[in-house]
Amino acid sequence: MKTKKPARKLRPIFKGRKAKTGLPPGSPVHIGESRTGAVEVELVRYDEASLDERRINTVSECVNLKGMPGITWVNVDGVHDVDILKSVGDCFGLHPLVLEDIANTDQRPKMEEYEGYIYLVCRMLSISKSGEIASEQVSVIIGPGFVLSFQEEEKEGDVFDRVRDRIKANKGKIRKMGADYLAYALLDSVVDNYFDVLETFGERLDDLEEAVVGAPTRETVREIQALKKEMVFLRRSIWPLREVISGLLRSETGLIADGTHIYLRDVYDHTVHIMDTVETFRDMLSGMLDIYLSSLSNRMNEVMKVLTIIATIFIPLTFLAGVYGMNFKYLPELELHWGYFAFWGICFATAVGMIIYFKRKHWLN
Amino acid sequence: MKTKKPARKLRPIFKGRKAKTGLPPGSPVHIGESRTGAVEVELVRYDEASLDERRINTVSECVNLKGMPGITWVNVDGVHDVDILKSVGDCFGLHPLVLEDIANTDQRPKMEEYEGYIYLVCRMLSISKSGEIASEQVSVIIGPGFVLSFQEEEKEGDVFDRVRDRIKANKGKIRKMGADYLAYALLDSVVDNYFDVLETFGERLDDLEEAVVGAPTRETVREIQALKKEMVFLRRSIWPLREVISGLLRSETGLIADGTHIYLRDVYDHTVHIMDTVETFRDMLSGMLDIYLSSLSNRMNEVMKVLTIIATIFIPLTFLAGVYGMNFKYLPELELHWGYFAFWGICFATAVGMIIYFKRKHWLN
Amino acid sequence: MKTKKPARKLRPIFKGRKAKTGLPPGSPVHIGESRTGAVEVELVRYDEASLDERRINTVSECVNLKGMPGITWVNVDGVHDVDILKSVGDCFGLHPLVLEDIANTDQRPKMEEYEGYIYLVCRMLSISKSGEIASEQVSVIIGPGFVLSFQEEEKEGDVFDRVRDRIKANKGKIRKMGADYLAYALLDSVVDNYFDVLETFGERLDDLEEAVVGAPTRETVREIQALKKEMVFLRRSIWPLREVISGLLRSETGLIADGTHIYLRDVYDHTVHIMDTVETFRDMLSGMLDIYLSSLSNRMNEVMKVLTIIATIFIPLTFLAGVYGMNFKYLPELELHWGYFAFWGICFATAVGMIIYFKRKHWLN
Amino acid sequence: MKTKKPARKLRPIFKGRKAKTGLPPGSPVHIGESRTGAVEVELVRYDEASLDERRINTVSECVNLKGMPGITWVNVDGVHDVDILKSVGDCFGLHPLVLEDIANTDQRPKMEEYEGYIYLVCRMLSISKSGEIASEQVSVIIGPGFVLSFQEEEKEGDVFDRVRDRIKANKGKIRKMGADYLAYALLDSVVDNYFDVLETFGERLDDLEEAVVGAPTRETVREIQALKKEMVFLRRSIWPLREVISGLLRSETGLIADGTHIYLRDVYDHTVHIMDTVETFRDMLSGMLDIYLSSLSNRMNEVMKVLTIIATIFIPLTFLAGVYGMNFKYLPELELHWGYFAFWGICFATAVGMIIYFKRKHWLN
Amino acid sequence: MKTKKPARKLRPIFKGRKAKTGLPPGSPVHIGESRTGAVEVELVRYDEASLDERRINTVSECVNLKGMPGITWVNVDGVHDVDILKSVGDCFGLHPLVLEDIANTDQRPKMEEYEGYIYLVCRMLSISKSGEIASEQVSVIIGPGFVLSFQEEEKEGDVFDRVRDRIKANKGKIRKMGADYLAYALLDSVVDNYFDVLETFGERLDDLEEAVVGAPTRETVREIQALKKEMVFLRRSIWPLREVISGLLRSETGLIADGTHIYLRDVYDHTVHIMDTVETFRDMLSGMLDIYLSSLSNRMNEVMKVLTIIATIFIPLTFLAGVYGMNFKYLPELELHWGYFAFWGICFATAVGMIIYFKRKHWLN
């Protein structure tokens, strides 16, 4: 088992929340790890025939696009620049509470219907090249003919690249479908990544299982506990996501077309599958802890047996040697010529008797 | 890890309840820590244009205000003066059972609809300057155009100050909205404070985790148990609060305007988030207890190994030394010139053999 | 911690049930502790203006009273006299199965609607003067204009005295309300007593907690288990009581007036509160068991360390002393003048080395 | 505690199931313990005035009886003779799947509505004279004017004897009521027997509790586990039975008259009561295991303390005695006249010092 | 207990999933163990009178058969050949997502209604001749007049052979019923096999129970954990299968005839029965772990007692022997003629005293 990174702090980060205390509700304030990178806004517009993709500088550009035919997808990488959030919000008519939630990267996955659009937030997990698990909040707004997506950070090798590629390559039917299908595609990418994360966890579990059965150390318990924590974290991300998707399926806003239901149901099945796997992993981890603890007891038993066997054989013999080392003036056995050999005879007899006793008690297997 | 205050008694306090035994229902009797400070009644009246804020001496003053346009907020600090409660109750037409519940500071959070008003009670947690967690019962009455709030104790740095400030500064839309929005603002302040409390617990958890992994002592278990108790307490406060808010959302009294729903849903999400965090903390605490117990076993194993190694090596050798200390007349080895050196040879051989045995058993790592 | 009474047997008592085997259903047979005291039947008749209270000898007297204006309350102390039960049953037209249930003091709290009356049964807990917890079954029949109550035993200082006093003193609105309010008042007395019982348990918990943290003994575990059992018992009594009360609230028989709902809801809240407290107590007891077990391990560790330190220091030294006690003819060190002092030097060096080793392992704190 | 019979195998018995593999559904095959006794078919026909009870040889006899006025009860003792089952089935028009279920004695209690009749199956527990618990499957068919019951085995002292006796003696109203009441009476007998079984378990629990608190042995844990298993078995029998009865209560076939509902509700209450008791027993058994385990640790602590006290006192003294047994030429203390007495003085001082130390550590209580 | 095969890896296999990353949804990609065997497609066409069964080479053959009278059953053995899947899908008009799910052998059992057909997937467990448990995914499509079934692998001794045989032999009513009955027959075969698997597990449980009570080893815990894992796996397969069947029962597509409901309810009962058994097995396994752990503690206690008894008797005596081995010039007892015998007297007295003490402490039983 290779050494692992120290377990990530899994308790929620409320950084920045205090700054907010006292503000009226609906004031977007960035809560989360402080970031400084520039926020990038990317615009993708497409219909079955045409495709327009570019970075936009002035967010106000988007105003012109709204209401035009085709699908508009605005992807914002970085939610720490509150001004950009506000201008996007103004442009698409978002409620201040929505902007507040987007800026607060400490959200529980949820789905809310507003007048004219659906707001949903989920947590994207990904495995970086160095093997670490990174967690990021993704907010998606589904409106008539447009989708807005907000990620915490710009990264190369974005999970949304798959969707972008499909749009560019005009693969599958993404260019033929509406904004709801695009939103589905984004959700699907997010959920697909959970499988990768589970795969990684699965491998760590296998390593752990070997370690537990083989030569468990203190480190093993800590690793078990660390994985348990990660499972709690995963569960907290995926469980409400299930509700988000079933919320979309039940939505009566008319923003989700019936034809998209079948795809959403597919994503829903994936989340159930992931939950199932997470629960199985938790069961396995509990089982490992049980094995570990019982192996501790087993080892203690073994150590104690060795001590007891040695002590039980030699302590009486040492006493006997002590007896014949006494200086009593009158100690008849000492005078016997065969006394010494008799002593050894008694010693061997005692030792053999003890060993037979231990054999019978099954202490010597 | 710095030393902590002794864990607060978390079992409910029924002080004063016996005094009540035998009284007909609807007789308000103060139940809870006995307090003696003067009860202060504060009146805030505002509409979009005007604001009137003052202490009132004669509660009967409020009679004149009822039914006038604008929003009336009466905040009572202290519920131990039953007479004041009664006069407020008479003035706003509260049911005797409601007054009884307000005076009894040992309530479970709940929400009840009465003819013409909604009564809700929740528990406010706050962290005092000295770092302690203080718990206080808050009752809120929402009526048409008025809100009554009852706190247990007058404190500087009240959580309701934030709301007062917003009203005074005319920040946000609080002055434009109705009594239901004011009630929402009060609830929001209460719930926001839970995040601060969780933050504090999170830090104590981090300290604990370090202690558990590093050098756990008896004190550590007690701290774990103390935190577990606090979690139980928090849970008991927040779980029913969720129901209170969803009760408000489902209320059909007409006292909660549709426009306020979106804000209440936001508070609702916060309570869900807090519950989630509390559950995570509980899981983490259980994990710590497991680590602690397995580290106890580990240490025992280590101690036992040291004892066993020492004893197993030296007990046979001591026996041998005892043998050659015997006074048998005829003990041939003693006469040998190289006998003593042969003895040491046997000793070293035995010791080395034992050590190899322990190595093979992985007892020496 | 003072010595406690031996834990009450909490498994249900089926005494007398066998006697019943083979009888057709609806044959009242007393099941429970056998009692011999005389059964007392007390009649209270009142309306807003008049009050009539007396013992009745012939149960047939009640016949005349039925159907008259005002409220009739018949309280029967003792259910072991089946004949009296039958005559009361005949008089008020009770179903044979109801009489059977009243006589069987081993009922689970429940509420049943019959043609013309509601039958409910609950369990009354009280603390006797000697500090013991007594449990008694209470059956209540609510009919139009009459209430029948059945207790297992006549006791001085009855919990129903509070209600009697209120009726006599014409306190509150009991004389102005109907039979349903009277039934509510009885239920309220029963539930109020649970708080006293919880208070007593709370004190025992505090004692226990001190004992667990201080000097836990075997007795402590037994006390923890005994309290756990009591909690199970309390839970079994209060949990279905909640359903009983919500059953009354949902009742569509017309026997429960709308004006009484608000009072029943209050009792309902009390039962929820009690359940909550019971759950908290259970959590605390589990926590105590954990502390107890970890303190056992801790103590074992401590004991083992002392043994190991002593043994590890002295066993090698004893070996050394044994070596120089040997009688080899040629044992050069013995001849050295400073040999004995060198021996002590080695002893001290070894001991100091060991102590430094233990210090480094944190065994000596 | 007297020695118990070895715990019954509680895992389901699938004997005979393999024989069935490959047959089309609806082919009755006996699954269960193989039995060879003759199957007895008993016919009871009664109305308010007349009663006819006899063994029937040709099952075809029953054909004539069907459709006649009065109630027909056919009781079949033994389900291993598939031909008899088939002829009964043909006679009363039972579905092949029903016959298959009757022959398979490994059914989970359930209730099914068919065209014209209700089929229900439950598990009857009884205590034989030798104190053993016997389990048997009982199938009941309720049709218009007839009841069929199927037991696994003919036994003297049948639980249905009670019902037979009531019919013969015309006790209660069984002769006045319909087939549904007869079915209720059979169910009631079955459920009543569970109380006897619980009574027996209760006594074993008491024995166990005494053993656990007094002198627990390995046998005790096994007995605890055996009882736990029995509880699992009981639970599996009674839990679905509850659903069976509530299914009868909700049945809309018209086969269950409204007047019988009150009786079925009574049986329903009994099953809830039994479930409750089973849960309590399980809680008590878990508590016992906890006590047992902590008493193991306690005993280990005690043993360790004795060892440590003895070793800690004598090991240093033995070293000292070893020192003065050395043969150094120059060992000044040996020459002192009072040396030996000084030695004893040191010994006593050391021993007393150790004992004071142990006293302070509370090891000697 | 014979040695078992190493526990199967139970974490889901995502092999091939990565290959899929980036493809648009609805692209069937084989996920699962890679297989290379040829895919066989078998066609069975029957009505009450005629039967036609053969291997088909060109899948397009099936086109002609669709819409013809009678029932068409196409069974595909092997889902790794995506082209064949696609051609079958085209022929019967299956949705691309359905094909994707069929190819992905890592599905959770589920049931989905599509326009014109029902898609369901479940997991078939079987015991191979070598005693191993094999798991295979089975997909079934139910359409009007046709059933498609997809298995992962061609095996001799297929569970579907039973169904084939019944069709050929015209046993039971399978030839008279519709496609829904055929689908039921397939499901029934799958579920019947679970009983065989449970039977095998039951035997392993019995072996384990004997081992745990007799001479538990480390291997025993691992076997317990392995069986626990298998139970988790079984549960994950059967739990959703229950929902699948109840989904069929509630289906409103018209594809499931009312007459088939009674058969599906039967399968449903079987799944409930299996779940029940799985839960019982889990309970039993937990109980075994408890017994195992307490037996570890017991053995430790026993070992410790032996050590303590030996050490406590001989350590003081060794000290005494050491005392009289000292070389003090003035050591009066040594001069006594009866000193040596007195020494032995003291030794025996001490030993007997100790043994009496141990007897009283019940250490010697």
Side-chain angles (χ1 to χ4, degrees), chain D residues 13 16 26 42-43 82 92 100 102 127 129 133 143 162 169 178 181 198 232 271 295 297 328:
Chain D
I13 305 154
E42 180 199 27
L43 173 77
V82 173
F92 288 92
E100 191 184 337
I102 291 171
I127 302 181
K129 278 156 199 163
I133 289 157
R162 301 177 198 165
Y181 189 89
L198 283 181
V232 170
T271 60
S295 94
S297 289
F328 280 107

Side-chain angles (χ1 to χ4, degrees), chain C residues 106 110 300 304 324 335, chain D residues 269 273 300 304 327 329:
Chain C
D106 169 38
K110 66 178 175 183
M300 179 81 95
M304 286 307 303
Y324 294 113
E335 311 300 320
Chain D
D269 282 344
H273 194 167
M300 178 81 96
M304 286 308 302
N327 299 319
K329 202 151 241 166

Side-chain angles (χ1 to χ4, degrees), chain D residues 48 60 63 70 94 127 158 181 183 214 221 225 245 275 284 331 356:
Chain D
E48 209 168 333
S60 57
V63 181
L94 304 184
I127 302 181
D158 197 323
Y181 189 89
V221 207
Q225 293 296 349
I245 296 167
M275 271 315 303
M284 287 167 74
L331 205 165
I356 288 168

Side-chain angles (χ1 to χ4, degrees), chain C residues 283-352:
Chain C
D283 275 0
M284 287 168 74
L285 285 167
S286 295
M288 282 181 201
L289 205 64
D290 284 346
I291 292 191
Y292 175 75
L293 287 174
S294 78
S295 94
L296 276 189
S297 288
N298 254 319
R299 280 213 258 171
M300 179 81 95
N301 260 340
E302 214 179 308
V303 169
M304 286 307 303
K305 274 185 201 167
V306 168
L307 176 59
T308 303
I309 288 166
I310 292 289
T312 310
I313 289 176
F314 283 102
I315 285 182
L317 300 186
T318 304
F319 164 68
L320 204 66
V323 166
Y324 294 113
M326 293 193 298
N327 300 319
F328 280 106
K329 202 151 240 162
Y330 182 66
L331 206 165
E333 294 96 321
L334 294 180
E335 311 300 320
L336 302 169
H337 193 77
W338 42 265
Y340 178 56
F341 303 101
F343 169 79
W344 276 117
I346 291 168
C347 284
F348 282 117
T350 309
V352 167

